[in-house]
Every structure is written in C-alpha cells, then in structure tokens.
Amino acid sequence: MLLRSILFLSFLLFFSACQYDSTQEEVQFTTFSPSQKSALFAYSSDDSLFITRHFSDSLGMLLTKANWKNRYIAVRNIEFSDTRYLLRVEDDSPSHWYIQKLYKSGDIGFVTDSGEWNERYSTLVVMKKGEKRFIFRQSKSDNRWFVNEITSEGKMLAHSDSDTWNHFYDAITPLHVRDGSCFFAQTKEEDKHTVVMSDGYHWTLQCVNSNGELVKYDSGNWEHFYATLVAYEDNAKSYLFRQRSKLFADDPWYIHHITTDAKLGNHTDSGSWNEYYEQSISYNNDNKTYLLSHNKDKKYLIHHLSGGHILSRTSSGTFKHYYDSLDIFKLDPNSLALSHWMGEMSSLLLNRKLAQIALPGSHDAGLNEADRHNCYYGAASCNTVTQSANIKFQLEKGSRFFDIRPALSSQDSGKSWSTAHTGEKYSYILGCQGESRSSIINGLNDFFSKEENSNELVILKISHCTPPPGGTVGKCNEDQLNALAENLSDSINDTVTCKDCKLREMTLAQILQKGNVILLFDEKVTRNRKKGIFRWGTGSNRDLYFYDHYSNSEDFETMRDDQVKKLLDEKNHSTNKQFLLSWTLTFDAASATACLLNSSSILKQAMKANPYLYREIHRLHTSDKLSKKLFPNIIYVDAFEGEATRTAIYLNKIYTTLKE
C-alpha cells in the first residue's frame, strides 16, 4: 500500500514536470478580410449525415461532411457574437441532447454539454435577447413546454419558464423583433367552437424577456395550416414567409410584415409554386437577403428577397440527400477545406523550402480518450489525454507535424507498439498507452489514398521510446528502434514515403515528387535516407531540427509572453534550426493532483490558450514583429481541432510580405 501511494504521488509529480497540451474548444478566428460570408449547415436524419458548405446566392464549396452515430429529430444553430454551437436532439423518448461547437470555418468541434430529457421534443427553436440565448421546446405528448438558457460557453442552464398549452405547435420559426427574439408558431389541429364548425388553425407570436420568460404579443387563426414558416429581416424590418401544401393545386405562399410592436401585419406578397418545400431558411450574404427552400424530392430553390417581396430566383438544383434540418451560420471567407489546405495553397507553397513554411502540429499526437489503455497507478484521462481524437482525425483537421512517442515491450520487434504518455519514477514506467501503430499506419494510408491530398506533406517525429506503463525503467534498445524505423517505412505505402530527400535544401515541390511522409527520429536510429529514415538534429549527419522549448506554466499570459519572447529571439533561428511555437499550458503539481478530484484536465487547459493563437500571431504581424527569419515553422497544440491550421494558413499567406 505504501509503495502504491509513493508511485501514485510520484506519477503526479512527474506529470507536473512534463509538458501538457490542451483541447481547443473556443475559437476567435479574426479574419483578415473585412467581409463575413454565410455557410449552410444541413443534416439528414435518413443516414445521420451532416454537411457544412460555403453559401451565397448559390451553393459553394463543401467544407465538412460526416455522419453522427445516432438519429436526431432536430439540429439547431446557437450563435453568439464570436462563437457558435449546434444543439442536436435524439429522435427518441427519453431523448439525449448534445451541444457541440461549430467553428466559423465550418468545422464541427467538441461537445460542450449533454444531457437527457424525459420527452421527445420535435418543436424546438432558438431565441435571443441581447447577449443571451434561449431555446424553446415543446412535447407533443402533453403540450408542455420549457425555456432554457444556453450560455456562451455552450452550457444549458435549468429551465427559466414552463407551462402547458392547449395546443401543440407543429410549425415554428424564430423571428427578431422588439430588440429581442420571438417565435411564430402554428398548430395543425383545428380550433373548433362546435362539433362541425372550425375557427381554423391557431397561431401565436411569443417573445422572450431577459429573464427567459415567454410573453405573448399576438395570436389568431388562419383558415389553413402552413407547415413551412420562416422569418427574415431586411432593411431593419421583420417579415414572415409561409407556404402550405395543397393536393390539387399549386402550393400557395404568402409574406407578411411583422410590426415593431410584434404584431402580424398584412401580407406584402403572395404567389404559388409548382411544388411544396418542407424546409425553408433565410440568410443574409453581402447585404442581400435570400430564401433557401428544400423538399423531400431533394430539390432546392434560392430566391432573392427585398423588403416583403420575392424578387427573383438565383439558383436551383438537387441535393444528394433530403435534409430535414437546415441552418445558416457566419463563415470566415478565408477558410479552406482543412483536410487538403496545402493543396489549396500549392501556388504559394510549392516553390518554398521547409524553413519558409508554417505547419500546424500535434503534441503527444497518439493520446486520445478512445485509444487510451494500459494506464498505470494514478494515470487518468485528466492528466494523460492530450488529443481529442486519433491521428487520422488530426490529419483531416490539417495537422502536418505529429509528435509520436512509442512504447515497446522487450519482446516487441517494432511491429505491435502503441503510442504512450509516460514518465519514469522509482524504477517504474508511469502513464497510459494510446493509439496503436496499425491505426496510425491505416490512417496515413487512407488519407493519402485520396487524390485531393496528393500535395500534403506530413512529418512524423518519433521520439521518447520507452517500455509500456507498469514496466521497469528503461529505454528502447538500438535494435528495437531500427526495427521500428524499418517496419514503419515499409508499412507506409511506397508512394507516400519521402525517400532520399535532402530536407533542408529541397523545395516542397521537390520533396512531394518523392513522397508525402517524412519519418524523423531523434533516438539511436541508423539514418537511411534512401528508405526515408531521417535524423533529428543540427549536425552534418542530421536532417532537420526545430527549436522546441515549452513554457512549463499553467498561466496563459506567462506562456504567451514566454513563447513570443522565444519566437522573437534571433538566436533561436538559423539556417539549420527552425522554430516550433509550443502553444500549450502545463499543470503545476497541485493542479495535476486536483484534476483527479475536480473537473479540470489537460484538454480543458487548452481552452485557455487555443482561442488566442490566431489573435496573437495576427498581432505580431500587424505590429511588424514577424520577419522571414523570425517565423514560426511549427504551430504546436494539444486537442488539435483545426485552429492551428487556420493560423498556419494565415502565416503562409503573409510570408512573402514579411521583411527579411
């Protein structure tokens, strides 16, 4: 028991001394183009597919495309001034819900909150009041509704208002009026004042106050039910578009003005289309307002709106799927498809040497929660996990420099190892193992099997090889390391192994002609450039070296100032020495211990640093501190989610404008 306690304490002390990386949760990507664009988020419950793509008066470039494991009845965008989230609700009762980060680039981030509701809520709408955001949800089983506030950190608070109504509102849309957010909703159940006579279909206009309480401003009945409702703003006025499906005629639509005192005004335009469109959303792009409509035949229409009128159709076509959730979010116009960002920038990068290029990188790239295993005494998720997902995920988010730390047993000949985050104390190896060799190789081969990734360059830096956690202290022997290097070179397809490259002298184009992956070792590995096995260091028999010194601080300002000071110090840059910016925070001893008892973690630490990475680089550039010599070549983070990629994109765009 005493030995276990000593080992546990030693583990904590070790992790207070070694470098920790953290999860990028918050993004403030300050664009260097003044205009903001729109992007479409679309979700299909048929196969739980979601996409994001550029959007204007027509459809633009696809940004992301992926599948969620479960089926969701509703997905809604929650947008604050500088951050945005997706709320997704499972199609089940009880129903799980998740709040997940949505970046301006169109990338999906981490889940920030989750929970379970007892009922299925198919009616769900987002409202805002000043800087606050609220959701309204109603259950069809008992017509009960709730209002919950969503914080700017992506957390859902306890409900601020609730009640039970006479009606369930099947159609609903948010609308902005009275310096706050309201919604307009209609039921498809007829109001009857006698058994045979109908008053029509009830509608209501409700607004939320700053306390999260609903206030009714208007209500009434229409003769028909309008399943498609969408509100929009144009020239500081609010309007409501409605369309109904009629079996034996064209499908009529109307536009109404919403008055400044939150009343439904007269209709300003009307017409009919040949088809009914179940989904419609409005958005603004370049100071113009548009209406996107989409139906179950997978067709879509885009119309230009002006005031209370439809002016013209700007685009039409067919999606590959029917999307039963559509939303619009603000997009940074400089965002590229992160999975092949180097290819997108090939005209700028191909003729440059590596010393003239910035690459985003992943520290302790193999330690993610899904792959974490074989932990030894005190090693836990909070103090070992440094990445949010595996290396293939990081590749697709744009990472191009990977810190790979293998753990090999004494019997391992370099073919069955896993990565690890380890330390040594009292003759024991402490820590956890992570992603396996086979997973890394399969991820690389899958990534480079796509033609769009043919101009991407990846550097695997292999170092810190130890026995697995729980073993006695020792280092991998020279035979093991050489076997690991040879096996890794052979296992990565021949077309993606950079063979016989002179890394300091060649341009990116010349390197890519030979292959896409550089294997870089700083252990006792025999250098074999013909097999693509390179050595870390500055000597004549070394191939590549980066100044790499983390700040060893938990305080963001201390880390920032230290890394900037190192970046701007000329002695840390030379012909044979490039620069690695280590944008990571490190637990002190007390925090490393406390994380086992509270909610802190390495990943959460990153949220203190990563949101400000781009901003700091932008500040250094605009204050004329950066130069072609004082230039960060690796942007090194934990919980790689693409922020470092966008920072590297920015650096590579401005490189030619920098002073010598």
Side-chain angles (χ1 to χ4, degrees), residues 147 210 363 499:
V147 176
S210 58
H363 169 258
K499 296 181 177 180

Side-chain angles (χ1 to χ4, degrees), residues 381-398:
S381 177
C382 71
N383 50 28
T384 60
V385 171
T386 54
Q387 296 297 334
S388 58
N390 63 18
I391 285 170
K392 184 179 180 183
F393 172 89
Q394 296 166 51
L395 277 167
E396 292 170 346
K397 292 297 184 181

Side-chain angles (χ1 to χ4, degrees), residues 393-424:
F393 172 89
Q394 296 166 51
L395 277 167
E396 292 170 346
K397 292 297 184 181
S399 185
R400 296 295 177 261
F401 181 94
F402 295 91
D403 172 24
I404 305 296
R405 306 187 181 196
L408 277 71
S409 67
S410 58
Q411 295 81 28
D412 195 335
S413 59
K415 295 182 180 180
S416 58
W417 52 270
S418 293
T419 57
H421 191 172
T422 63
E424 302 173 358

Side-chain angles (χ1 to χ4, degrees), residues 12 74 218 339 348 423:
L12 295 175
D218 201 5
S339 65
L348 290 176

Side-chain angles (χ1 to χ4, degrees), residues 41-44 48-52 64-68 108 323:
F41 175 87
Y43 170 76
S44 172
S48 206
L49 170 79
F50 68 84
I51 64 167
T52 60
T64 58
K65 178 181 178 181
N67 295 85
W68 281 319
I108 304 298
Y323 297 104

Side-chain angles (χ1 to χ4, degrees), residues 52-63:
T52 60
R53 65 189 307 164
H54 288 268
F55 212 50
S56 57
D57 58 351
S58 60
L59 295 181
M61 182 180 70
L62 181 70
L63 296 170

